[in-house]
Amino acid sequence: MKILILGGTGEAVELAEALTARRHRVTTSLAGRTSQPHVPKGKLHVGNFGGIEGLTKFLRDGRFDYLIDATHPFAAQMSAHAVEAAAAAGMPLLRLERAPWTEPARGAWRHARDEVEAARHLPASATVFLTIGRQHLKPFIARTDCRFLLRSIEAPEKPLPENFVLQPGRPPFTLPNELSLLRHFAISHLVAKNSGGSQTAAKLEAAHLLKVHVVMIDRPVLAPAPTAAGVDAVLETIDHAPASARRFRFFP
Ligand code: NAP
């Protein structure tokens, strides 16, 4: 089959490799936010589509058979566009949705709807480990009464204020790494997005062990779509895709 994967996650890279090995023709699309992304097997499309219409056209023009949404759990707009565009192009869609992290017993996370609410949860003089990427920093930049250790794959476009320290880093992160970081910077609060998965989970264990307060930004509610919980579940579905999704491509 000819498959378009909406990527930007480790699972998307794994999927591209597994589907290519199964002799599917795979294209992965990346938003283009990272200048040196992990390059998946198969073809690559870098950059946005231009909304639902753009993605629909891309699916039709490319004569794809299947759309897999393997974007980050917080990429709600892309996931919504995938639902609309797959329907408009008349093709099956499957979303890879990894399980969210769950709060440990006596974990006492403070939950936040978004970055604005998360920033409000921080007390004055907090020393904060910020692991939300480099977008949506504004509410934290407004908190001149706190200090921030910002971990991001790449530096934000604008210079950071003096109460910010940038810690470049690309997952996966280990528990010893996270423990030493939290200790070294005497972190009092961790702000995280509930991305789920194993690659960035060690910070939660480290926070729990060191009694660092956790402010967790909950996942956005995504447009309903058929979902699979991981790479193996996606492969299982694709392996059993009905013949209608396996159109022959010998004739135009
Ligand atoms: P978004 O708000 O859902 O997407 C905004 C627009 O970016 C989409 O409408 C689309 O533009 C384009 N886009 C997003 N993913 C794309 C992909 N895989 N291929 C082509 N175009 C894509 O998502 P976001 O702005 O990327 O991020 C939202 C949140 O997710 C942020 O909080 C971010 O930290 C987190 N996140 C995202 C990624 C990622 O790779 N996208 C990775 C890690 C974390 P058009 O409408 O013009 O097609």
XYZ file of all heavy atoms in Angstrom, residues 171-219:
375
model
N 15.470 13.459 23.503
C 15.167 12.169 24.122
C 15.870 11.025 23.381
O 16.190 11.197 22.208
C 13.641 12.051 23.970
C 13.160 13.394 23.532
C 14.299 14.127 22.936
N 16.073 9.868 24.038
C 15.587 9.504 25.378
C 16.475 10.052 26.491
O 17.655 10.294 26.296
C 15.646 7.973 25.348
C 16.746 7.657 24.384
C 16.758 8.758 23.360
N 15.853 10.223 27.671
C 16.563 10.673 28.866
C 16.504 9.570 29.915
O 15.475 8.925 30.077
C 15.920 11.954 29.419
C 15.908 13.080 28.423
C 14.716 13.498 27.843
C 17.088 13.712 28.038
C 14.693 14.530 26.920
C 17.076 14.739 27.107
C 15.875 15.150 26.544
N 17.623 9.400 30.642
C 17.688 8.316 31.626
C 17.409 8.862 33.031
O 17.550 10.068 33.276
C 19.090 7.674 31.632
O 20.026 8.686 32.043
C 19.464 7.151 30.259
N 17.099 7.950 33.933
C 16.847 8.356 35.325
C 18.084 9.004 35.963
O 17.953 10.087 36.558
C 16.356 7.154 36.141
C 16.001 7.444 37.589
C 14.883 8.482 37.711
C 15.605 6.170 38.332
N 19.293 8.421 35.825
C 20.472 9.096 36.419
C 20.644 10.514 35.870
O 20.983 11.438 36.624
C 21.646 8.195 36.013
C 21.044 6.860 35.763
C 19.654 7.109 35.255
N 20.410 10.688 34.581
C 20.522 12.010 33.964
C 19.527 12.991 34.598
O 19.883 14.122 34.981
C 20.230 11.861 32.456
C 20.195 13.200 31.730
O 21.225 13.733 31.383
N 19.001 13.756 31.550
N 18.291 12.555 34.750
C 17.245 13.430 35.285
C 17.483 13.742 36.755
O 17.302 14.875 37.198
C 15.858 12.794 35.108
C 15.486 12.426 33.674
C 15.448 13.591 32.710
O 16.456 14.314 32.613
O 14.425 13.783 32.034
N 17.938 12.726 37.506
C 18.201 12.946 38.933
C 19.312 13.980 39.104
O 19.198 14.905 39.920
C 18.605 11.629 39.606
C 17.470 10.647 39.907
C 18.033 9.292 40.325
C 16.534 11.185 40.992
N 20.364 13.837 38.294
C 21.491 14.768 38.487
C 21.099 16.184 38.059
O 21.505 17.162 38.678
C 22.752 14.254 37.791
O 22.794 14.680 36.477
N 20.251 16.292 37.023
C 19.797 17.615 36.579
C 18.938 18.300 37.659
O 19.135 19.466 37.998
C 18.970 17.418 35.305
C 18.934 18.527 34.285
C 20.335 18.838 33.782
C 18.056 18.098 33.101
N 17.998 17.552 38.219
C 17.110 18.124 39.237
C 17.902 18.538 40.476
O 17.654 19.592 41.072
C 16.014 17.128 39.637
C 14.999 16.722 38.562
C 13.908 15.840 39.160
C 14.349 17.920 37.908
N 18.883 17.707 40.826
C 19.700 18.023 42.009
C 20.591 19.227 41.725
O 20.675 20.148 42.538
C 20.584 16.818 42.374
C 19.828 15.719 43.074
C 20.824 14.740 43.726
N 20.122 13.610 44.313
C 20.159 12.370 43.838
N 20.880 12.079 42.771
N 19.484 11.417 44.426
N 21.248 19.203 40.573
C 22.229 20.248 40.247
C 21.583 21.640 40.254
O 22.180 22.604 40.734
C 22.856 19.957 38.879
C 23.893 20.955 38.481
N 25.167 20.943 39.018
C 23.854 22.016 37.640
C 25.859 21.941 38.523
N 25.085 22.619 37.676
N 20.368 21.720 39.721
C 19.706 23.036 39.642
C 18.755 23.285 40.809
O 18.041 24.276 40.818
C 18.955 23.177 38.307
C 19.888 23.344 37.125
C 20.310 22.240 36.407
C 20.366 24.597 36.764
C 21.184 22.381 35.330
C 21.241 24.746 35.689
C 21.648 23.643 34.973
N 18.746 22.382 41.785
C 17.875 22.504 42.967
C 16.435 22.824 42.532
O 15.812 23.780 43.007
C 18.412 23.579 43.910
N 15.940 21.963 41.647
C 14.603 22.174 41.069
C 13.525 21.938 42.138
O 13.564 20.938 42.861
C 14.384 21.207 39.875
C 15.375 21.495 38.740
C 12.939 21.220 39.389
C 15.226 22.809 38.039
N 12.569 22.866 42.194
C 11.447 22.687 43.134
C 10.181 22.222 42.397
O 9.332 21.555 42.983
C 11.161 23.991 43.878
O 10.729 25.004 42.975
N 10.038 22.586 41.110
C 8.834 22.262 40.337
C 9.212 21.754 38.944
O 10.122 22.297 38.310
C 7.936 23.498 40.179
C 7.268 23.896 41.455
N 7.958 24.475 42.508
C 5.966 23.798 41.858
C 7.108 24.712 43.502
N 5.898 24.308 43.133
N 8.466 20.744 38.508
C 8.604 20.252 37.132
C 7.314 20.589 36.390
O 6.224 20.304 36.898
C 8.809 18.730 37.150
C 8.588 17.987 35.830
C 9.701 18.305 34.821
C 8.547 16.470 36.064
N 7.435 21.210 35.222
C 6.251 21.421 34.377
C 6.418 20.552 33.138
O 7.422 20.661 32.419
C 6.077 22.900 33.965
C 4.882 23.046 33.032
C 5.898 23.791 35.194
N 5.448 19.668 32.917
C 5.533 18.726 31.795
C 4.192 18.651 31.080
O 3.152 18.964 31.651
C 5.916 17.343 32.313
N 4.265 18.203 29.818
C 3.036 17.874 29.086
C 2.831 16.378 29.194
O 3.822 15.629 29.112
C 3.222 18.209 27.605
C 3.123 19.660 27.281
C 3.399 19.828 25.805
C 3.128 21.248 25.391
N 3.731 21.548 24.086
N 1.605 15.935 29.303
C 1.387 14.503 29.443
C 1.514 13.803 28.083
O 0.529 13.347 27.501
C 0.043 14.188 30.101
C 0.018 12.754 30.607
O 0.791 11.912 30.125
N -0.841 12.465 31.559
N 2.759 13.723 27.639
C 3.030 13.121 26.328
C 2.905 11.608 26.370
O 2.580 10.986 25.368
C 4.452 13.473 25.890
O 4.643 14.854 25.907
N 3.194 11.003 27.537
C 3.213 9.539 27.618
C 4.472 8.989 26.957
O 5.305 9.745 26.454
N 4.585 7.660 26.986
C 5.735 7.004 26.359
C 6.923 6.923 27.299
O 6.947 7.559 28.361
N 7.921 6.137 26.893
C 9.046 5.850 27.785
C 10.210 6.822 27.612
O 11.018 6.971 28.522
C 9.533 4.420 27.539
O 9.920 4.315 26.174
N 10.289 7.478 26.465
C 11.501 8.259 26.165
C 11.738 9.438 27.109
O 12.873 9.817 27.358
C 11.414 8.786 24.732
C 11.375 7.677 23.705
C 12.287 7.957 22.547
O 12.460 9.089 22.145
N 12.873 6.930 22.012
N 10.660 10.017 27.635
C 10.820 11.197 28.494
C 10.172 10.994 29.873
O 9.927 11.958 30.588
C 10.218 12.462 27.820
O 8.833 12.221 27.558
C 10.920 12.801 26.524
N 9.926 9.719 30.211
C 9.214 9.434 31.468
C 10.113 9.510 32.698
O 9.619 9.686 33.821
C 8.563 8.062 31.391
N 11.437 9.403 32.516
C 12.346 9.326 33.670
C 12.273 10.585 34.537
O 12.483 10.516 35.749
C 13.778 9.093 33.188
N 11.945 11.722 33.931
C 11.869 12.964 34.719
C 10.785 12.854 35.809
O 10.923 13.420 36.897
C 11.574 14.164 33.819
C 10.236 14.091 33.111
C 10.079 15.163 32.061
C 8.825 14.919 31.240
N 8.804 15.665 29.996
N 9.721 12.094 35.519
C 8.632 11.960 36.501
C 9.072 11.102 37.675
O 8.754 11.404 38.828
C 7.395 11.356 35.835
C 6.769 12.239 34.766
C 5.695 11.481 34.010
C 6.179 13.497 35.411
N 9.812 10.047 37.349
C 10.319 9.187 38.417
C 11.315 9.973 39.275
O 11.275 9.914 40.509
C 10.988 7.954 37.794
C 11.153 6.834 38.794
C 11.797 5.600 38.174
O 11.812 5.467 36.934
O 12.304 4.793 38.968
N 12.169 10.733 38.606
C 13.161 11.533 39.336
C 12.448 12.559 40.227
O 12.816 12.742 41.398
C 14.089 12.234 38.348
N 11.423 13.206 39.688
C 10.674 14.207 40.466
C 10.028 13.548 41.681
O 10.043 14.089 42.790
C 9.625 14.871 39.583
N 9.485 12.360 41.463
C 8.833 11.634 42.549
C 9.848 11.295 43.647
O 9.596 11.513 44.833
C 8.190 10.368 41.975
C 7.301 9.664 42.940
N 6.194 10.241 43.497
C 7.384 8.411 43.456
C 5.626 9.388 44.320
N 6.330 8.268 44.316
N 11.012 10.795 43.214
C 12.046 10.393 44.184
C 12.571 11.590 44.972
O 12.873 11.477 46.158
C 13.210 9.704 43.462
C 12.899 8.323 42.883
C 14.053 7.826 42.018
C 12.620 7.320 44.015
N 12.675 12.741 44.314
C 13.258 13.923 44.981
C 12.189 14.861 45.554
O 12.508 15.968 45.972
C 14.153 14.687 43.986
C 15.347 13.908 43.417
C 16.167 14.770 42.473
C 16.246 13.386 44.549
N 10.928 14.401 45.501
C 9.806 15.190 46.047
C 9.693 16.576 45.385
O 9.431 17.589 46.047
C 9.907 15.332 47.576
C 9.821 13.982 48.288
C 9.686 14.161 49.773
C 9.311 12.913 50.528
N 9.939 11.670 50.118
N 9.942 16.578 44.091
C 9.763 17.808 43.298
C 8.280 17.886 42.924
O 7.676 16.885 42.534
C 10.658 17.736 42.030
C 10.254 18.770 40.994
C 12.124 17.903 42.421
N 7.672 19.069 43.049
C 6.262 19.234 42.700
C 6.090 19.111 41.187
O 6.906 19.651 40.423
C 5.755 20.609 43.131
C 5.882 20.844 44.607
N 4.990 20.325 45.516
C 6.814 21.510 45.335
C 5.358 20.670 46.739
N 6.472 21.389 46.656
N 5.011 18.441 40.778
C 4.774 18.251 39.340
C 3.527 19.018 38.915
O 2.461 18.866 39.512
C 4.604 16.750 39.005
C 4.227 16.565 37.535
C 5.879 15.977 39.333
N 3.695 19.847 37.904
C 2.539 20.491 37.259
C 2.395 19.834 35.892
O 3.296 19.926 35.053
C 2.749 22.017 37.098
C 1.556 22.634 36.370
C 2.967 22.679 38.454
N 1.292 19.115 35.694
C 1.123 18.329 34.473
C 0.068 18.967 33.569
O -1.075 19.153 33.970
C 0.677 16.905 34.852
C 0.570 15.948 33.693
S 2.144 15.712 32.832
C 3.024 14.643 33.974
N 0.500 19.295 32.359
C -0.452 19.831 31.380
C -1.151 18.642 30.730
O -0.507 17.772 30.133
C 0.255 20.708 30.323
C 1.019 21.849 31.014
C -0.751 21.249 29.309
C 1.794 22.765 30.084
N -2.471 18.576 30.922
C -3.235 17.435 30.421
C -3.379 17.508 28.905
O -3.308 18.585 28.308
C -4.617 17.398 31.097
C -4.492 17.089 32.581
O -3.593 16.304 32.951
O -5.273 17.648 33.368
N -3.620 16.363 28.312
C -3.730 16.292 26.850
C -4.958 17.011 26.332
O -6.014 16.987 26.974
C -3.847 14.832 26.417
C -2.579 14.100 26.585
C -2.728 12.707 26.029
N -1.460 12.024 26.122
C -1.225 10.844 25.577
N -2.185 10.217 24.917
N -0.052 10.290 25.685
